[in-house]
Amino acid sequence: MNLSSEIKQSSESDPALKPKILVVDDKPANILSMRTLLANVDAELHSATSGNEALSLMLRNQYAVVLADVHMPEMDGYELVELMRKNPDTVFTPVIFVTAMDSERKNIHLGYQVGAVDYLFKPIDKVALISKVKIFLSLYQQVIDLEKSIFYYKRFVGEAGGEVDGNEDANALPKVLVVDDREENLFAMRTILKKLPIELTTVGGAKEALVELENHSFAVVLLDVQMPHMDGFELAEQMRTDPKAQITPIIFLTAINKDREHVFKGYEAGAVDYIFKPVNPDILLSKVMTFTQIHRHRVELQQLIKEKNDLMYKIQAQNAQLGFMAFHDPLTQSANRAGFEDAMERTLNVARSRGLKFALLLIDLDHFKLINDVYGHDCGDIILQEAAKRMHNLVKKTDYVARLGGDEFAIILDNIDSIEDPASVAEKLVKIVSQTYTIKGLELKIGVSVGISCYPDDANYAESCTVQEIVHNADIAMFKAKETRNNRFEFYTEAFSAQHTEHLSIEAGLKFAIDRQEIYLTYQPRIDMRDGSVIGAEALLRWKHPEKGEVSPGKFIPIAERSQMIIPIGNWVFAEACRQRNEWHSELPENFRISVNISPYQLVDHNFVDFVKEKAEEFAVNPHNIEMELTESAVMEDTKKMTKTLDELHEIGFPIIVDDFGTGYSMLKYLKILPIEGLKIDAEFVYDLERAPENELIIKAIIALAENFDLHITGEGVETENQAKFLLDNGCFDAQGFLYSKSLKPDLFLEYYHSANK
């Protein structure tokens, strides 16, 4: 297992996982003693009583340091290290030999030759043990931090090209600094170290060393202890105060005695190790080689991080642009419907909690379609832009202007004192927006109708009032203003709520629609545009009322949502889709999927997960073949609960698809944390492709976003060959829309499937 693999596993299960230390000793008593000595070290301690057991543990774990006994039966410490150095995953793992053997020169040399980085002799000195272990834990943590940055980059950004432009060249030789006031010692060090692929710098005192440390980055510093003016201890302490030099490993070179107090003083000053004079070449080469390898690895990772950061800046700029487009209308630069819905939710919550009042103005430009038909869409677009500008100039900066679509706008007047405030704004609005527009030498005029709903005055139950209710009331008032005459505004009153009565009638009928078998499903084919084959279907709910006939889903589904009847209705839809998939089992390929629209109310119902699991089992349907489609706003309703439910559904096997992507709430950050498999481009962008070229940028950005997150992408609302060609050319291969087929009853769908998939 390499470091990146472990980081990926550990970061997904326990981001705060401690570094691991492995103790290898054939005597359990020695292992117990080591556990006692290291009890206060912040690390996870593993143990093995043989070399084979240690190698087995290394296959499953990454260790910061290994403390290995030398003298063991079957496989001694030397053989263990030799095998470790042949494995790419453990070649750089530091090993400290812990032994009761004599410290004769030949035994020490053998240890360094096979790849050990240090020795500890039994009985073990606790201070020396902890000092050495902490050094390697610190080095390990530095590598882990760098590896994590690379891992998250690869996971969330993906592999991307780019030139490396780090501060250090990974191909350059690592630099080693030797500081000693005696030239003969420096000559000896140069003679020994010339065998290594390093760039060696030698200086004769602390002052020159500080200059070199200021200008260069060194893999390791070999530092004489006894020097005039400033000894090695003082220089080491000064290095530890320099942010650039403080991470540079220091090995003290000394001919002084090996008394405990000198060794501990060196460790306290920041040394990672000691080499005693006369210097043994094998020991020196082994230690320098270890630290230059660690340095080279760190430099490579730092360069990757630099490259990653450069790419991240570019991607963040692209995401910022996409985020802006998700909340803003590209034509008028006003907020779009998504931004409006978000602002309404915030305004309502603040007003409810603080006892404030606000007003919503819905604005419709009368007879705007006539201008488009007579003078063209270019002329109509200019009027929309100018009308939006006039609205922005009229209201306060704290008020909110949005274009909801077409010729419909909305203004939220925040924190009003009385109904005179919105009346005054509406009166000025009608006057200013209806003034003459001079466009391409033409003088054009449009009418304006404004509907006003005030909170809490127009809310039947202020505490439970919803954004939808306020918008609904303003919409009723706007249509009343249009019915009366142009250039008029109306406040919502109960007298205007005839439409509300119809809603109540629909709501009453919905209560019996399931039992009376009035609702049914149709299926719209999902097409692979590359060959025209049918690769899936979306289940769409229909209602045939016994008196009203076919009721539009756009009319009864919002009422079902508000009344909470969407839960039993939505559950019926899911069960019926499972039943139909089972019935078609012999007619369709194994991987054929049916997508079902899921309401946010279903997702927060604590019985929903058990229900869908039960139905999938009842109809013997593979969960992988039933896609669950949610709108962006549905995912944002209750993030904590939603995430838990979606994770459970994903674990069962149901694919999660985000429908109408691009016009709802901005979901960029949630794409990272939710188990989403695919996106559906909102039909509004596809439908307006030929009329609003700026939609091309939005669709391209959505496709690029899907590719970055490895998500499946489908285009909705495809009605023309040009729309299909644009999607295909930009990497979206799946689509549905009237160009291919409307939604069909089950028998007609099968006929269409067999005809298209001959």
Side-chain angles (χ1 to χ4, degrees):
M1 177 186 295
N2 59 36
L3 194 55
S4 295
S5 301
E6 177 158 319
I7 288 170
K8 182 171 183 180
Q9 292 183 6
S10 65
S11 62
E12 291 176 349
S13 60
D14 183 4
L17 199 63
K18 292 181 179 180
K20 301 181 180 70
I21 300 170
L22 177 61
V23 177
V24 187
D25 198 304
D26 62 308
K27 294 181 174 57
N30 291 342
I31 293 176
L32 179 61
S33 175
M34 191 69 76
R35 287 186 178 277
T36 303
L37 293 172
L38 295 174
N40 294 325
V41 174
D42 189 22
E44 182 179 328
L45 194 65
H46 293 186
S47 61
T49 56
S50 69
N52 286 326
E53 184 183 358
L55 292 173
S56 177
L57 286 172
M58 290 182 212
L59 291 176
R60 302 189 300 274
N61 300 279
Q62 185 77 26
Y63 292 100
V65 63
V66 175
L67 302 169
D69 187 26
V70 171
H71 188 63
M72 295 184 292
E74 297 182 6
M75 181 189 300
D76 63 22
Y78 304 132
E79 294 173 294
L80 171 63
V81 175
E82 284 181 335
L83 290 173
M84 288 175 61
R85 296 301 176 245
K86 294 177 182 179
N87 185 338
D89 290 334
T90 57
V91 66
F92 295 129
T93 303
V95 179
I96 299 176
F97 277 140
V98 182
T99 181
M101 295 172 62
D102 63 80
S103 56
E104 291 180 0
R105 182 185 184 93
K106 63 178 181 179
N107 294 318
I108 295 177
H109 292 180
L110 180 58
Y112 287 123
Q113 287 171 1
V114 298
V117 298
D118 212 342
Y119 262 89
L120 283 171
F121 295 101
K122 303 175 184 177
I124 297 170
D125 185 285
K126 181 177 180 180
V127 176
L129 169 66
I130 293 176
S131 297
K132 291 178 182 291
V133 166
K134 283 186 175 181
I135 289 166
F136 290 105
L137 291 178
S138 175
L139 291 171
Y140 177 81
Q141 191 58 52
Q142 291 176 33
V143 175
I144 285 292
D145 291 341
L146 293 169
E147 286 275 15
K148 278 186 178 179
S149 296
I150 300 304
F151 164 65
Y152 289 127
Y153 162 56
K154 289 181 178 179
R155 181 178 180 186
F156 298 132
V157 179
E159 298 291 349
E163 295 184 0
V164 175
D165 185 24
N167 294 325
E168 295 184 62
D169 184 359
N171 296 318
L173 295 176
K175 297 180 176 66
V176 175
L177 176 63
V178 179
V179 187
D180 198 304
D181 61 316
R182 300 177 66 86
E183 177 57 36
E184 60 268 28
N185 292 341
L186 294 177
F187 176 79
M189 298 296 284
R190 285 192 290 265
T191 302
I192 297 171
L193 293 175
K194 69 180 181 181
K195 300 177 182 179
L196 296 179
I198 61 174
E199 181 181 328
L200 184 63
T201 301
T202 58
V203 296
K207 184 176 180 181
E208 298 96 317
L210 291 173
V211 173
E212 292 294 334
L213 289 164
E214 176 67 25
N215 296 322
H216 302 285
S217 176
F218 290 95
V220 63
V221 175
L222 302 168
L223 179 58
D224 186 29
V225 171
Q226 291 183 318
M227 294 185 295
H229 307 302
M230 181 188 297
D231 64 20
F233 300 131
E234 294 174 293
L235 176 57
E237 289 175 352
Q238 191 160 337
M239 286 177 60
R240 291 299 169 249
T241 63
D242 182 351
K244 182 178 179 181
Q246 65 182 191
I247 65 170
T248 304
I250 300 172
I251 298 177
F252 275 139
L253 304 170
T254 182
I256 65 175
N257 63 59
K258 304 177 185 180
D259 289 346
R260 177 188 180 98
E261 66 175 281
H262 291 97
V263 174
F264 292 165
K265 183 177 180 181
Y267 288 130
E268 290 172 357
V272 299
D273 210 342
Y274 265 89
I275 295 178
F276 295 100
K277 299 176 183 177
V279 173
N280 180 278
D282 291 335
I283 295 176
L284 175 63
L285 291 172
S286 176
K287 292 181 183 291
V288 171
M289 189 182 305
T290 296
F291 286 106
T292 54
Q293 288 170 338
I294 293 172
H295 176 78
R296 184 180 292 109
H297 186 50
R298 183 172 69 243
V299 169
E300 290 172 351
L301 291 174
Q302 287 171 335
Q303 288 182 317
L304 286 174
I305 289 174
K306 175 65 168 59
E307 179 185 359
K308 177 267 295 185
N309 287 337
D310 291 342
L311 292 170
M312 282 294 291
Y313 293 143
K314 296 177 184 178
I315 292 169
Q316 286 169 355
Q318 294 172 354
N319 288 347
Q321 182 183 8
L322 182 61
F324 179 85
M325 290 189 295
F327 278 98
H328 289 81
D329 170 44
L331 178 64
T332 65
Q333 299 301 300
S334 303
N336 62 7
R337 182 175 291 276
F340 165 74
E341 291 173 352
D342 184 56
M344 277 292 292
E345 289 286 357
R346 286 187 279 107
T347 303
L348 177 59
N349 290 336
V350 171
R352 182 180 287 135
S353 63
R354 299 182 183 178
L356 303 177
K357 296 181 179 182
F358 72 91
L360 170 64
L361 281 61
L362 286 187
I363 304 127
D364 189 78
L365 306 184
D366 300 324
H367 310 303
F368 179 76
K369 184 178 184 298
L370 183 61
I371 290 178
N372 271 339
D373 292 342
V374 175
Y375 301 105
H377 290 288
D378 290 345
C379 185
D381 287 348
I382 295 174
I383 287 181
L384 290 172
Q385 291 171 332
E386 179 60 27
K389 187 183 300 183
R390 295 179 185 184
M391 294 179 200
H392 281 283
N393 292 338
L394 174 65
V395 300
K396 299 178 296 184
K397 290 185 177 180
T398 55
D399 296 328
Y400 198 86
V401 179
R403 181 189 175 206
L404 303 185
D407 59 358
E408 187 176 0
F409 291 82
I411 297 177
I412 304 172
L413 300 179
D414 195 18
N415 194 17
I416 63 173
D417 294 324
S418 66
I419 62 171
E420 283 76 17
D421 293 339
S424 175
V425 172
E427 185 175 7
K428 294 175 183 176
L429 180 70
V430 169
K431 180 180 179 180
I432 293 173
V433 176
S434 63
Q435 288 178 354
T436 302
Y437 296 80
T438 302
I439 302 171
K440 298 180 180 179
L442 300 172
E443 291 189 349
L444 304 173
K445 297 195 71 170
I446 56 174
V448 183
S449 298
V450 182
I452 307 171
S453 178
C454 297
Y455 176 89
D457 299 345
D458 297 339
N460 292 328
Y461 303 99
E463 288 303 316
S464 59
C465 176
T466 64
V467 166
Q468 290 79 7
E469 181 182 345
I470 298 170
V471 173
H472 173 68
N473 291 346
D475 200 41
I476 291 175
M478 184 187 69
F479 276 102
K480 183 63 178 177
K482 291 176 72 72
E483 290 173 1
T484 307
R485 56 186 171 89
N486 292 338
N487 297 332
R488 183 178 178 85
F489 66 88
E490 292 282 358
F491 282 90
Y492 170 80
T493 68
E494 288 292 339
F496 297 161
S497 60
Q499 187 176 1
H500 183 61
T501 302
E502 182 184 3
H503 286 184
L504 291 176
S505 173
I506 291 175
E507 184 176 330
L510 280 173
K511 294 179 180 178
F512 305 100
I514 296 177
D515 293 339
R516 294 173 179 173
Q517 300 182 356
E518 296 169 2
I519 59 175
Y520 61 96
L521 294 184
T522 60
Y523 299 87
Q524 185 171 41
R526 190 166 80 245
I527 307 297
D528 185 334
M529 294 185 288
R530 292 169 292 188
D531 58 13
S533 61
V534 180
I535 56 173
E538 180 177 358
L540 298 172
L541 180 62
R542 298 291 182 260
W543 180 23
K544 188 172 183 179
H545 191 278
E547 298 174 359
K548 302 176 185 295
E550 293 287 345
V551 183
S552 168
K555 183 176 290 185
F556 73 80
I557 289 179
I559 296 173
E561 292 270 4
R562 281 201 301 271
S563 65
Q564 300 286 301
M565 285 188 293
I566 195 64
I567 294 178
I569 291 174
N571 289 350
W572 178 89
V573 170
F574 180 86
E576 175 62 14
C578 288
R579 186 201 65 77
Q580 188 65 70
R581 183 64 182 84
N582 176 273
E583 183 178 311
W584 282 342
H585 177 72
S586 61
E587 301 280 352
L588 301 176
E590 182 64 30
N591 62 350
F592 190 91
R593 292 182 175 183
I594 295 178
S595 59
V596 177
N597 291 284
I598 303 298
S599 163
Y601 293 103
Q602 291 174 272
L603 289 175
V604 297
D605 177 16
H606 66 277
N607 294 318
F608 181 66
V609 174
D610 290 337
F611 172 81
V612 297
K613 186 177 180 181
E614 176 187 328
K615 290 301 173 184
E617 293 174 354
E618 177 183 342
F619 292 107
V621 172
N622 185 343
H624 190 69
N625 290 332
I626 303 293
E627 294 180 341
M628 295 195 175
E629 290 192 15
L630 304 94
T631 61
E632 290 182 83
S633 57
V635 176
M636 294 293 294
E637 289 285 338
D638 182 347
T639 303
K640 185 176 180 181
K641 171 63 177 173
M642 206 68 63
T643 301
K644 180 177 183 296
T645 303
L646 293 177
D647 284 340
E648 291 176 356
L649 293 171
H650 176 72
E651 187 175 342
I652 295 171
F654 293 106
I656 308 300
I657 308 296
V658 178
D659 195 13
D660 299 336
F661 187 81
T663 57
Y665 292 77
S666 175
M667 278 191 61
L668 298 181
K669 66 178 181 179
Y670 294 99
L671 293 180
K672 299 178 181 179
I673 61 175
L674 296 178
I676 295 168
E677 183 173 311
L679 306 177
K680 281 192 170 184
I681 303 171
D682 188 81
E684 179 181 336
F685 296 128
V686 178
Y687 178 76
D688 283 340
L689 258 179
E690 294 152 359
R691 193 175 65 173
E694 62 273 6
N695 282 359
E696 293 183 2
L697 295 175
I698 297 175
I699 292 177
K700 287 179 179 179
I702 293 173
I703 294 173
L705 182 70
E707 290 176 352
N708 282 336
F709 284 96
D710 194 24
L711 302 175
H712 187 81
I713 188 80
T714 301
E716 291 189 297
V718 178
E719 297 185 1
T720 69
E721 293 289 351
N722 287 340
Q723 293 167 357
K725 184 177 184 304
F726 175 81
L727 292 174
L728 265 174
D729 290 345
N730 286 279
C732 176
F733 305 126
D734 297 354
Q736 59 188 83
F738 288 170
L739 175 63
Y740 304 104
S741 174
K742 63 179 181 179
S743 63
L744 303 169
K745 290 186 177 181
D747 54 341
L748 295 178
F749 177 86
L750 270 187
E751 290 181 13
Y752 183 90
Y753 172 82
H754 289 303
S755 175
N757 293 59
K758 288 181 180 179

